[in-house]
Amino acid sequence: MLSDKDYELLDEVFQKLKQADNTCSDVVLDPEEVRALVDEFDDFNHELVGIKKIIDEFEKEIGMKK
């Protein structure tokens, strides 16, 4: 789970990415920013896996999957 500091880092990262996209420039992230970004993707991926399990179980219950 991300801390408040991690969310602040993510906000900074997304601002850098947005600015780079607008100016077609490169982005350089420091290790802490990379870690926060990877942790956010890991958390998001974990949530998606949980949602898929719920959907699969629901489909199994209603007979859509065997």
Side-chain angles (χ1 to χ4, degrees):
M1 185 153 206
L2 298 175
S3 68
D4 289 341
K5 181 182 175 188
D6 291 336
Y7 283 111
E8 289 174 13
L9 282 171
L10 283 175
D11 187 47
E12 291 174 18
V13 168
F14 291 130
Q15 291 300 324
K16 285 183 179 182
L17 292 172
K18 184 177 178 182
Q19 183 179 17
D21 186 41
N22 290 339
T23 61
C24 297
S25 60
D26 294 335
V27 175
V28 177
L29 301 176
D30 64 43
E32 272 299 294
E33 292 171 327
V34 172
R35 183 203 50 79
L37 193 57
V38 169
D39 286 351
E40 173 66 7
F41 283 119
D42 285 345
D43 287 350
F44 183 72
N45 187 50
H46 185 71
E47 289 179 30
L48 287 177
V49 168
I51 291 169
K52 176 152 179 22
K53 287 179 183 178
I54 292 169
I55 291 170
D56 289 347
E57 190 62 35
F58 175 74
E59 289 176 344
K60 186 177 176 182
E61 286 179 17
I62 64 171
M64 290 179 64
K65 282 190 172 180
K66 294 184 178 190

